[in-house]
Amino acid sequence: MENAFYITTPIYYVNAKPHLGHAYSTMVADSLVRLHQLMGETAFFVTGSDEHGDKIVQAAAKNQQPPQEFVDGISQCFQDLWPKLGIQNYRFARTTSPTHQKLVQDLLQKVYDAGDIYFGEFSGHYCYGCERFYTDKELENGLCPQHLTKPELITERNYFFKMSKYLPWIKEYITEHHDFIRPERYRSEALGMLEAGALDDLCISRPKSRLTWGIELPFDRNYVCYVWFDALLTYISALGGPEAQDFQRYWPGEHLVAKDILKPHAVFWPAMLKSMGLPLYKHLNVHGYWLVRDTKMSKSLGNIVDPLAMKEQFGNDAFRYYLFREMHFGSDASFNQEAMIKRINADLANDLGNLFSRVLAMNAKYFAATVPSPNAKLPQDTQIIDLGLSALDNFVQLFRHIKFAEALEALWQFVRALNKYVDSEAPWELYKQKELERLSTVMYVLLACMRKVAICLWPVMPHASCTLLQQLGQTASTNTPPVPDIRAEISCFGGLQAGIQIAKQSNLFPRIEVAKKEPREAKVAKDTKEAKDTKDTKDTKDTKEATLPNIDIETFKTADLRVGTIIEASKHPNADKILVLQIDFGPLGQKQILSGLANYYAPDALVGRQVCAILNLKPRKIRGLMSNGMVLTAESNNKVCLLMPEKPSSNGAHIA
Ligand code: ME8
């Protein structure tokens, strides 16, 4: 039977639109699938949307939509995004699909029949953010360790999965299988969770009196299934269930998650699989967080990076390359556009781009853009060829073992060595001296090595890889691996047919020019001069702006201007620039006002601030949400800031 590779991303919550963190995990799954295809395997991955539970109900209510309508909309955003980011070979699974719901019920019944589910009363600390109960020991200073909020003490009768029965076995399994959870630090963390003895049985139901948006328990209609028990089973339902052919073919597979969801994958899921009598997954691959200015990027903090905006600004391949090169899998990484530009300029424009552009241009001049036949090799040729073959081998091994940054570095050492080979062999000199035999060998060595580099790039930069291969006269597509098995490329040199026509030039990765920061003194002098030079024009402009018709005080008084305190702020789900503010105007009550502040303020930073607003503007709907007034802002130098009372004022106070 052919080798089959199956990996999953997390099944993302659809309480807000996808961001860079989701895009990264999904790109990693896509590139691992591509690597395995490049090794001749059948491979695909599963991603999807996690659509049940409290979090979703709350988000839908906030958006004044029924849950199903709300999840349909956001799930579609995820489904639309992946092809735009060059992601393919996946199945998109939704936890609200009838096939998934049926499978969850079948498997719940199986676990129930096996005696692993019991009914009992329980008091626990419930965190709505995590949608789970915490034991006393798990809390940190009485707070949820993830959200740092105080959980609610809830007592209710519920169904429990006998997870504690499996904990000693899980611990032993993780202890004995060193790369079951990788990198190592997360294996230790998982063992730590099991050592601490803080874990108990898992509450797997929610009474319908509290939550109806979930999969009904097959053995009690008054309860729905806990969202994690439901979502984890997607990894199996997406294969059609344990009896399906795809399950026989692809299971056990691999999982890919960030460190936030280590526990459900390292502890709950193995226990569930064991109870259902199904084989354990092969590996749990855990990556760190993308940080923005040292803070975890997340929907709730409002500091998210939009992957499509990055694609549009830098190109999808360059964006993907930066993410894979920058994050050392397992550790956190900071997302920073300046660093991205530096990386693109150094690695893609200077090293790779330059190699292709100079070699193709020389070959066009010396051999009319056909691949020359190589002659006898000199030691320096053998040396660069051997270096290339071992770089390719390292690249494949490191990449398979989720060391993406290290794999790319190994490949780039070879790219840089090829540039040095150009410098030391100086084809232009050989051409000048009419040493055409030697020139043919040097150019052939270069072109054949460049082809191998371009093949390796296919998992990370599919479009760029295809373009470079096409420039080298190869047929290539982003959908089909460029060679049947990359390992054949590692074992021998060559692979490029002499005599074929290739491109005359290449300019795939032009340098990104950034406006240089001026030294401070020079800037001050320049600003002063500019200020002076533009004074006249500015005066005219100011006068022009001031030429709105005068109004009398009575007209001004028709504007109902008030002070209020922001009590809640969140991003508009359908408009990137807009924040949705809930503002308390004291005796006038609370009002929802929408404002274009998202680029200037993190939502959380606004809560508690007093603002000035006009309340008797005609209410209007902005992308589906009502705005009942307008907060006052000042705009200067393309930045927007809020107007606030100089001293704390009472909510509802008149502004005059
Ligand atoms: O946890 N950096 O869904 P979720 C890197 N529905 N990756 C990030 C990230 C960041 N700042 N933020 C999010 C859930 N991610 C559950 C999963 S699985 C059966 C159920 C990525 O929408 C990363 O992959 O909160 C993380 O594990 C996942 O999104 C969490 O997605």
Side-chain angles (χ1 to χ4, degrees):
M1 187 148 125
E2 94 251 63
N3 275 333
F5 177 79
Y6 169 53
I7 190 162
T8 65
T9 71
I11 307 302
Y12 305 115
Y13 286 127
V14 285
N15 52 350
K17 282 187 191 166
H19 59 61
L20 170 73
H22 304 115
Y24 175 74
S25 302
T26 316
M27 283 175 184
V28 168
D30 171 68
S31 68
L32 279 169
V33 164
R34 287 174 184 276
L35 182 85
H36 283 266
Q37 291 178 331
L38 210 41
M39 295 194 306
E41 296 174 24
T42 310
F44 85 102
F45 76 99
V46 159
T47 187
S49 46
D50 188 353
E51 305 185 4
H52 290 126
D54 280 328
K55 254 200 241 272
I56 308 295
V57 174
Q58 282 165 15
K62 225 175 179 180
N63 209 35
Q64 295 163 10
Q65 275 182 299
Q68 188 65 56
E69 189 182 308
F70 177 74
V71 297
D72 286 348
I74 307 265
S75 173
Q76 196 59 49
C77 293
F78 278 84
Q79 295 179 55
D80 291 344
L81 177 63
W82 305 139
K84 290 182 190 152
L85 296 177
I87 287 163
Q88 59 186 39
N89 295 302
Y90 61 90
R91 284 183 198 163
F92 192 93
R94 298 183 59 182
T95 59
T96 51
S97 79
T99 45
H100 172 77
Q101 307 206 40
K102 163 99 179 51
L103 184 107
V104 171
Q105 290 188 323
D106 290 352
L107 288 172
L108 273 167
Q109 189 66 51
K110 199 170 170 186
V111 177
Y112 186 73
D113 293 343
D116 272 354
I117 293 177
Y118 64 92
F119 192 55
E121 189 170 275
F122 175 77
S123 272
H125 307 279
Y126 189 75
C127 170
Y128 283 90
C130 300
E131 304 208 20
R132 56 166 288 218
F133 285 100
Y134 279 93
T135 60
D136 283 330
K137 282 190 213 157
E138 284 178 293
L139 297 179
E140 283 172 13
N141 301 322
L143 303 180
C144 157
Q146 283 281 333
H147 294 88
L148 303 180
T149 48
K150 194 167 164 43
E152 195 175 317
L153 189 67
I154 293 184
T155 303
E156 60 189 23
R157 287 170 70 72
N158 261 314
Y159 286 89
F160 292 84
F161 168 53
K162 286 187 188 165
M163 191 167 76
S164 53
K165 175 173 153 187
Y166 298 105
L167 296 177
W169 165 78
I170 297 175
K171 195 172 144 195
E172 196 181 312
Y173 191 89
I174 300 177
T175 309
E176 280 172 8
H177 297 81
H178 284 246
D179 67 349
F180 177 60
I181 298 173
R182 57 192 190 186
E184 169 61 29
R185 72 170 76 168
Y186 298 111
R187 172 175 171 267
S188 312
E189 202 177 305
L191 282 172
M193 290 172 194
L194 292 157
E195 297 299 346
L199 295 166
D200 210 334
D201 289 342
L202 186 67
C203 176
I204 55 142
S205 65
R206 299 290 180 260
K208 278 195 185 165
S209 52
R210 184 151 71 79
L211 176 76
T212 52
W213 185 241
I215 301 176
E216 197 172 85
L217 296 188
F219 40 84
D220 191 338
R221 301 194 56 189
N222 295 315
Y223 287 84
V224 293
C225 177
Y226 168 44
V227 67
W228 269 103
F229 204 94
D230 157 3
L232 286 162
L233 289 172
T234 314
Y235 300 147
I236 288 180
S237 66
L239 294 175
E243 312 306 329
Q245 243 185 13
D246 271 354
F247 186 82
Q248 310 301 326
R249 189 167 176 205
Y250 289 106
W251 192 259
E254 307 240 342
H255 300 306
L256 176 71
V257 296
K259 62 186 182 182
D260 52 343
I261 50 178
L262 175 66
K263 186 184 283 173
H265 286 83
V267 183
F268 305 174
W269 184 222
M272 287 164 65
L273 285 166
K274 181 82 174 160
S275 168
M276 292 182 290
L278 298 175
L280 274 190
Y281 54 82
K282 279 189 196 142
H283 300 114
L284 177 62
N285 305 294
V286 188
H287 64 78
Y289 290 148
W290 279 102
L291 308 174
V292 174
R293 272 173 254 111
D294 295 333
T295 313
K296 185 196 172 198
M297 191 189 48
S298 82
K299 299 176 262 212
S300 49
L301 292 177
N303 58 348
I304 59 163
V305 175
D306 173 7
L308 272 187
M310 291 303 110
K311 170 194 164 166
E312 262 140 46
Q313 201 173 339
F314 299 100
N316 197 38
D317 283 313
F319 173 48
R320 280 174 68 122
Y321 176 81
Y322 165 75
L323 297 181
F324 280 81
R325 183 65 187 79
E326 192 66 22
M327 178 174 263
H328 286 256
F329 197 89
S331 306
D332 293 347
S334 271
F335 185 84
N336 174 324
Q337 288 201 28
E338 265 175 38
M340 172 146 72
I341 292 172
K342 263 194 190 157
R343 179 63 78 184
I344 293 173
N345 281 345
D347 293 9
L348 300 183
N350 284 4
D351 295 339
L352 181 68
N354 195 24
L355 175 69
F356 270 76
S357 94
R358 65 206 289 221
V359 173
L360 288 185
M362 283 190 275
N363 198 64
K365 181 169 174 194
Y366 309 150
F367 296 110
T370 52
V371 176
S373 293
N375 301 296
K377 292 189 198 78
L378 296 183
Q380 61 267 39
D381 306 330
T382 320
Q383 203 183 348
I384 188 88
I385 289 168
D386 289 349
L387 186 86
L389 297 181
S390 79
L392 251 67
D393 193 19
N394 282 341
F395 173 81
V396 172
Q397 293 313 327
L398 289 164
F399 209 94
R400 282 178 71 179
H401 292 96
I402 58 165
K403 294 183 187 273
F404 308 119
E406 294 83 346
L408 287 169
E409 178 50 30
L411 191 64
W412 250 254
Q413 279 176 13
F414 179 42
V415 171
R416 289 191 287 264
L418 284 170
N419 271 320
K420 281 198 187 128
Y421 176 84
V422 174
D423 298 340
S424 61
E425 297 315 301
W428 49 92
E429 280 299 323
L430 297 172
Y431 182 69
K432 217 157 106 193
Q433 306 304 326
K434 301 205 168 46
E435 292 182 39
L436 291 188
E437 239 179 61
R438 176 72 193 136
L439 181 63
S440 302
T441 307
V442 169
M443 293 310 290
Y444 184 83
V445 166
L446 280 167
L447 292 167
C449 287
M450 283 154 55
R451 174 181 159 277
K452 288 192 193 280
V453 170
I455 292 170
C456 287
L457 295 176
W458 193 72
V460 180
M461 300 195 286
H463 273 99
S465 161
C466 285
T467 309
L468 296 175
L469 284 169
Q470 283 158 2
Q471 289 175 351
L472 293 171
Q474 313 293 295
T475 41
S477 121
T478 51
N479 301 327
T480 324
V483 288
D485 189 344
I486 194 169
R487 282 166 294 192
E489 296 292 332
I490 298 170
S491 57
C492 64
F493 178 64
L496 183 67
Q497 212 189 329
I500 60 166
Q501 196 71 33
I502 59 173
K504 295 190 176 83
Q505 56 188 17
S506 173
N507 184 21
L508 194 53
F509 294 110
R511 265 187 84 76
I512 302 173
E513 296 303 338
V514 233
K516 271 204 185 121
K517 277 201 188 133
E518 297 169 57
R520 206 179 126 61
E521 305 80 77
K523 186 169 179 338
V524 171
K526 190 167 165 243
D527 287 353
T528 320
K529 183 173 180 307
E530 266 173 15
K532 195 166 170 288
D533 290 351
T534 55
K535 189 169 181 304
D536 293 346
T537 359
K538 193 166 181 307
D539 283 351
T540 328
K541 195 167 171 257
D542 283 351
T543 328
K544 220 174 174 184
E545 275 183 359
T547 56
L548 283 172
N550 288 339
I551 53 168
D552 56 35
I553 186 77
E554 293 312 315
T555 311
F556 176 74
K557 278 185 182 166
T558 58
D560 190 9
L561 295 165
R562 307 281 186 143
V563 173
T565 301
I566 299 178
I567 50 175
E568 232 183 283
S570 59
K571 289 213 151 192
H572 191 306
N574 305 317
D576 292 346
K577 293 187 180 149
I578 296 182
L579 291 185
V580 182
L581 308 172
Q582 307 298 337
I583 307 180
D584 179 9
F585 290 99
L588 303 173
Q590 183 185 320
K591 294 192 187 296
Q592 172 168 293
I593 296 183
L594 273 57
S595 182
L597 294 169
N599 288 344
Y600 312 101
Y601 294 93
D604 285 355
L606 290 180
V607 175
R609 292 211 195 173
Q610 282 210 309
V611 289
C612 303
I614 171 163
L615 296 190
N616 60 338
L617 270 188
K618 269 197 191 143
R620 67 184 187 120
K621 212 175 203 180
I622 306 176
R623 300 264 179 109
L625 294 185
M626 289 308 294
S627 184
N628 307 301
M630 185 176 83
V631 290
L632 304 187
T633 57
E635 195 187 324
S636 84
N637 296 332
N638 296 326
K639 287 208 172 110
V640 171
C641 69
L642 280 165
L643 295 189
M644 298 172 188
E646 191 231 341
K647 292 199 179 97
S649 313
S650 46
N651 288 335
H654 278 283
I655 299 171

